[in-house]
Amino acid sequence: MAKITYIEHNGTQHVVEVANGLTVMEGARDNNIPGIEADCGGACACSTCHVYVDPAWVSKLPAKDDMEEDMLDFAYQPDPERSRLTCQLKITDALDGLVVQMPEKQI
Ligand code: FES
């Protein structure tokens, strides 16, 4: 279980508990948090689950694999350091306190 803070582009914060094994994308979807669309349902095939990870968390997350890296090229204004696809981030206790910020728009 991890407490995740999702910050909308307009600054609205949503703090929710997400169960281990789910993804950061599923945590947003299951709690009706706007700003993460996840059109492909988590298959790493759409880039509409893009967020900017809080700078303090960038180095604490598992590294991106090639598929995520490639798909991020299609995201709206990706940041080389902070951008991640939330469907590729699995919740573990280690992610407790994670803060992510949604982009202005998804693609
Ligand atoms: S939900 Fe489509 S890439 Fe993450």
Side-chain angles (χ1 to χ4, degrees), residues 24-100:
V24 175
M25 177 277 278
E26 289 167 326
R29 182 198 62 194
D30 295 353
N31 289 284
N32 298 313
I33 296 170
I36 293 178
E37 295 170 11
D39 289 340
C40 77
C44 200
C46 72
S47 84
T48 64
C49 63
H50 170 218
V51 297
Y52 303 111
V53 172
D54 184 274
W57 276 89
V58 169
S59 62
K60 297 183 194 165
L61 298 177
K64 291 172 247 189
D65 64 15
D66 291 347
M67 203 158 78
E68 182 180 355
E69 196 84 67
D70 288 350
M71 197 47 63
L72 273 169
D73 290 342
F74 297 96
Y76 178 73
Q77 295 187 343
D79 178 276
E81 297 292 322
R82 296 179 58 206
S83 286
R84 296 298 302 253
L85 295 179
T86 49
C87 71
Q88 301 303 301
L89 293 174
K90 271 239 190 305
I91 300 290
T92 64
D93 291 347
L95 264 60
D96 188 36
L98 174 67
V99 178
V100 299

